[in-house]
Amino acid sequence: MIAAKLIDNVWATRKAESLNGFKFMLAEEIGGVHAGRRLIVVDIISAGIGDRVIVCTGSSARRMLGNDDIPVDAVVVGIIDEDCNFG
Amino acid sequence: MIAAKLIDNVWATRKAESLNGFKFMLAEEIGGVHAGRRLIVVDIISAGIGDRVIVCTGSSARRMLGNDDIPVDAVVVGIIDEDCNFG
Amino acid sequence: MIAAKLIDNVWATRKAESLNGFKFMLAEEIGGVHAGRRLIVVDIISAGIGDRVIVCTGSSARRMLGNDDIPVDAVVVGIIDEDCNFG
Amino acid sequence: MIAAKLIDNVWATRKAESLNGFKFMLAEEIGGVHAGRRLIVVDIISAGIGDRVIVCTGSSARRMLGNDDIPVDAVVVGIIDEDCNFG
Amino acid sequence: MIAAKLIDNVWATRKAESLNGFKFMLAEEIGGVHAGRRLIVVDIISAGIGDRVIVCTGSSARRMLGNDDIPVDAVVVGIIDEDCNFG
C-alpha cells in the first residue's frame, strides 16, 4: 500500500455507470523517493481532505468495494492516526 | 486511477481481433512528480482530445469493458468536469 | 497500454516449456517522461523490428494468448499505423 | 519481490473491517536505483523494525493471507537472514 | 517482462511455509532508463549468478509455478542465450 495525503476532491459527472455514488479524491504520495506522485482514489470510509491515508492499488482495491466488477484500481483502506508519526 | 489529458488519437489497423471497434487515444498524466508520463488508453464514453480524464489501469480496466477476455490494461472511466480545479 | 518501438529479438533457448514457440522481442517505450524504458514482449501478430506497437501489460497480456496459464506479462496487441503521427 | 527494510509501525484505527488485527508497517526499498521508495506492508510472520524483508506485491500479496477478499497489496513473505550480505 | 542479470542469492530462513524449497535470487534490470532497478525473483529453471534472464512479474509470475496460491510476484521464465547481443 501507499501512504498518501488527500488533497482535493475530483468531480466527474460523465463516468461509468457503475461508478455512480462513489467519491473520488486526489491523493499525493508522502515519504520516500516517490513522494509527490499523485493518484485518484475512491474513498468509502469518510476520509477528508488533509487526512493521511493508506491507499491500496490494483486488483486488491476492488476487494474494498465488495463488488469485483467495478473499474477502480485505487481505494482508501485506512486513515492513519493523527498522532502516528511514522517514518 | 490516474488523472490524464487526452492529447491525440492512435490508429492501429493491424491489431488483435478482439480490439476491433475500440477507440485508442494517447493520454498524458497530469499533476504530481509523474506528470508527462504517457499511456495508450481505450475510451468508450465519448471523451475527446483535450479532455481531462480518469484512467483506470490493470485488471480493473477490463471491468469497464464488460468482457474479461479483452487485452486492454488502461481505460477512461470518467471525464473530469471542466470547472473542477483540483490539485 | 504503452507505445513502444521494437528494437531487437531476444533469444532464450532455456525457458519455461509453455513458452516454446513464442517470439520474444525487446521493446523501448516512446514518448513522455518514461521514454527509453525497456521491456521484453511477446509478439503473435507478426510485428517486426522497427515497428511502433501497442504493448499491453499485466494480467491483460495473457488475454491476448488465449491461454491464461502462460507466464507472460507483456504482449504486442497492435501495430501503430506508419502514417499515424501521434503525440 | 522487493528487498526492503522495515522502519516503523503505521497505526490506522479507522480502516476496512477486514483489516482488523493486521499489523501495518512502513517499509523502505533497499538497493538499486529505486532505493528509498516507501510502501506500507502487512506482516504476519512477526518481522520487526530494522529487519530486512522480502515484500510481495499485487494480487500475489493476498496469497499470503489465505483470504482472497482482503484489500491488501503488499505483504512480508520472508525475513532475510542477518548474515546474508547480498548485492 | 524485464531483462535482468542475476547478481546474488538471497537467503530467508523465516518465510511463508508455501515458499519452502524455492530459490530466491537478486536480479538487476539491464538496459533502458530503468537499468539498475533491483528485484528479488524465484528461479525454478536452474539459472545461476551472472546469467541474463527474462523475468515475468505480477499475477503472471504465479503461472510459472503451477500453483496459484504461492505469494510470489517475480519469476525467471527464461535464460537469455549467451550469444544473444540484443539492444
Side-chain angles (χ1 to χ4, degrees), chain A residues 14-80:
Chain A
R14 289 167 61 191
K15 58 178 173 293
E17 270 195 38
S18 59
L19 297 178
N20 283 336
F22 284 115
K23 179 174 65 160
F24 291 85
M25 300 192 77
L26 186 66
E28 187 168 281
E29 191 168 335
I30 50 178
V33 296
H34 281 208
R37 182 163 66 116
R38 288 185 178 184
L39 60 172
I40 296 177
V41 302
V42 161
D43 167 53
I44 61 169
I45 58 172
S46 301
I49 294 175
D51 281 345
R52 297 175 304 162
V53 295
I54 300 173
V55 174
C56 180
T57 62
S59 60
S60 298
R62 298 198 302 270
R63 270 52 183 182
M64 184 70 184
L65 304 178
N67 179 341
D68 196 54
D69 292 330
I70 296 178
V72 158
D73 66 10
V75 174
V76 174
V77 296
I79 302 173
I80 297 171

Side-chain angles (χ1 to χ4, degrees), chain A residues 1-3 29-34 45-47 51 53-61 63-64 77-81 84-87, chain D residues 7-16 19 24 26 28 34-42 58-59 62 68-74:
Chain A
M1 286 73 67
I2 298 165
E29 191 168 335
I30 50 178
V33 296
H34 281 208
I45 58 172
S46 301
D51 281 345
V53 295
I54 300 173
V55 174
C56 180
T57 62
S59 60
S60 298
R63 270 52 183 182
M64 184 70 184
V77 296
I79 302 173
I80 297 171
D81 293 350
C84 174
N85 296 305
F86 63 85
Chain D
I7 58 176
D8 214 338
N9 294 293
V10 178
W11 304 103
T13 304
R14 290 168 59 193
K15 58 178 174 290
L19 297 178
F24 291 85
L26 186 65
E28 187 168 280
H34 281 206
R37 183 164 65 118
R38 288 184 180 186
L39 60 172
I40 297 176
V41 301
V42 162
S59 60
R62 298 197 304 270
D68 197 52
D69 291 331
I70 296 177
V72 159
D73 65 11

Side-chain angles (χ1 to χ4, degrees), chain B residues 7-11 26 38 40, chain C residues 3-4 30-31 52 80-81 83-87:
Chain B
I7 58 176
D8 214 338
N9 293 294
V10 177
W11 305 104
L26 185 66
R38 289 185 178 185
I40 296 177
Chain C
I30 50 178
R52 296 175 306 161
I80 297 171
D81 293 351
D83 59 358
C84 173
N85 296 306
F86 62 87

Side-chain angles (χ1 to χ4, degrees), chain D:
Chain D
M1 286 73 67
I2 298 165
K5 189 171 189 169
L6 297 178
I7 58 176
D8 214 338
N9 294 293
V10 178
W11 304 103
T13 304
R14 290 168 59 193
K15 58 178 174 290
E17 270 195 39
S18 59
L19 297 178
N20 282 336
F22 284 115
K23 179 174 64 160
F24 291 85
M25 300 191 78
L26 186 65
E28 187 168 280
E29 189 168 337
I30 50 178
V33 296
H34 281 206
R37 183 164 65 118
R38 288 184 180 186
L39 60 172
I40 297 176
V41 301
V42 162
D43 166 54
I44 61 168
I45 58 171
S46 301
I49 294 175
D51 282 345
R52 296 175 306 160
V53 294
I54 300 173
V55 174
C56 179
T57 63
S59 60
S60 298
R62 298 197 304 270
R63 269 53 182 182
M64 183 71 184
L65 304 178
N67 179 341
D68 197 52
D69 291 331
I70 296 177
V72 159
D73 65 11
V75 174
V76 174
V77 296
I79 302 173
I80 297 171
D81 293 351
E82 282 193 26
D83 59 357
C84 172
N85 295 305
F86 62 86

Side-chain angles (χ1 to χ4, degrees), chain B residues 5-25:
Chain B
K5 188 171 190 169
L6 298 178
I7 58 176
D8 214 338
N9 293 294
V10 177
W11 305 104
T13 305
R14 289 168 59 194
K15 58 179 173 292
E17 270 195 37
S18 59
L19 297 178
N20 284 336
F22 285 115
K23 180 173 64 159
F24 291 85
M25 300 192 78

